[in-house]
Amino acid sequence: AQYVTINTASFTIHQLILLIILRIQHDDENLGSMIEKVPEIIMSFAQYADPTVVYCLMIRILHSPPMTDEQRTNIPLCASYVKEANRIMVKLTRKINVALPQIQLDLLLKEIHTFFVKYYPKSGIENPELPTRIIKTIVHSIVIYKKNEIRDIINKMFPNDNQQSTLPLLIDLLLEQENESSSIPLHAQTDRSIHPLSDPLADTFGRINDLKHLVEKQENMLKR
């Protein structure tokens, strides 16, 4: 598992998720006995594989699962697929703080940037906003871990971006939030534990949307 590439692992985990869905849809006892261990296999792989590969492949599965055209148009299949992928990702997100020292952050951040570019909630999906909330939680963990050092990585990734992309905007706002929190006495701080099922970053993302609208407004005024 230590030497598996992101592309190979993505396809393998994708097939395992499809097996889980197959078991749920057919409710076959024989089939169930063969497949019931699949979630354990996936988490076992996650435990022993390179953490960079694990988190990158799961983020890739969230935004661009290697489905066929027929599978992409199958709404019930997609709904079940997203549900199972979210379930795996929530478990991994709870372990992100332990994994971060072993992760290549430039690769992880590139995959997160791709998520923000490519992901869009599909109709008929339960909790369509959950993948975005999971990714925001991971970004928040990275900011807490690297603090202001994260700016160097982001500046190399987006040298001429001028804060147009979601990821640099989110990181800047989270750094601002963390720096403000660090100036507050410990006894006055609230619990900052991160959990992907709550959404502590909703205000931050609202501010990102406000900034995007402001940039668009300024660009439109310049075109006149």
Side-chain angles (χ1 to χ4, degrees), residues 18-80:
L18 289 178
L19 278 175
I20 296 172
I21 296 168
L22 187 67
R23 175 198 170 209
I24 294 170
Q25 290 180 339
H26 289 272
D27 195 25
D28 184 300
E29 287 188 8
N30 295 325
L31 189 63
S33 62
M34 291 188 292
I35 300 175
E36 63 183 4
K37 297 293 184 182
V38 169
E40 293 179 24
I41 293 171
I42 293 175
M43 295 312 297
S44 178
F45 167 81
Q47 181 179 353
Y48 293 105
D50 180 346
T52 304
V53 171
V54 171
Y55 284 88
C56 284
L57 81 87
M58 284 309 304
I59 293 171
R60 188 171 300 182
I61 278 178
L62 288 179
H63 68 69
S64 303
M67 290 183 170
T68 64
D69 291 339
E70 182 180 353
Q71 289 171 340
R72 287 192 187 93
T73 56
N74 186 329
I75 300 300
L77 174 67
C78 289
S80 297

Side-chain angles (χ1 to χ4, degrees), residues 55 62 85-97 127 129-141 192-202:
Y55 284 88
L62 288 179
N86 283 342
R87 187 174 297 171
I88 296 167
M89 208 46 196
V90 166
K91 291 179 181 179
L92 290 176
T93 303
R94 289 171 180 155
K95 301 178 180 180
I96 186 67
N97 293 328
N127 293 327
E129 79 290 345
L130 183 55
T132 301
R133 290 162 59 186
I134 290 170
I135 299 304
K136 284 153 52 182
T137 298
I138 292 174
V139 175
H140 198 185
S141 296
R192 292 165 58 235
S193 60
I194 296 174
H195 193 297
L197 298 182
S198 61
D199 197 357
L201 307 182

Side-chain angles (χ1 to χ4, degrees), residues 69-177:
D69 291 339
E70 182 180 353
Q71 289 171 340
R72 287 192 187 93
T73 56
N74 186 329
I75 300 300
L77 174 67
C78 289
S80 297
Y81 189 96
V82 171
K83 184 176 181 179
E84 292 302 323
N86 283 342
R87 187 174 297 171
I88 296 167
M89 208 46 196
V90 166
K91 291 179 181 179
L92 290 176
T93 303
R94 289 171 180 155
K95 301 178 180 180
I96 186 67
N97 293 328
V98 175
L100 277 173
Q102 301 172 297
I103 290 177
Q104 292 177 255
L105 288 181
D106 56 335
L107 295 181
L108 180 61
L109 289 168
K110 284 177 183 176
E111 202 63 55
I112 290 172
H113 168 64
T114 303
F115 172 88
F116 284 132
V117 171
K118 290 188 173 183
Y119 177 75
Y120 64 94
K122 295 180 180 178
S123 60
I125 303 297
E126 183 181 349
N127 293 327
E129 79 290 345
L130 183 55
T132 301
R133 290 162 59 186
I134 290 170
I135 299 304
K136 284 153 52 182
T137 298
I138 292 174
V139 175
H140 198 185
S141 296
I142 294 171
V143 168
I144 292 172
Y145 172 60
K146 295 300 289 184
K147 298 183 172 59
N148 289 315
E149 293 177 26
I150 193 65
R151 290 188 193 276
D152 295 333
I153 301 175
I154 290 299
N155 289 338
K156 289 177 182 177
M157 287 177 61
F158 304 93
N160 303 308
D161 186 72
N162 295 322
Q163 292 191 329
Q164 296 296 301
S165 301
T166 299
L167 181 57
L169 275 171
L170 177 59
I171 285 177
D172 273 351
L173 289 171
L174 286 172
L175 278 172
E176 177 187 330
Q177 181 178 304

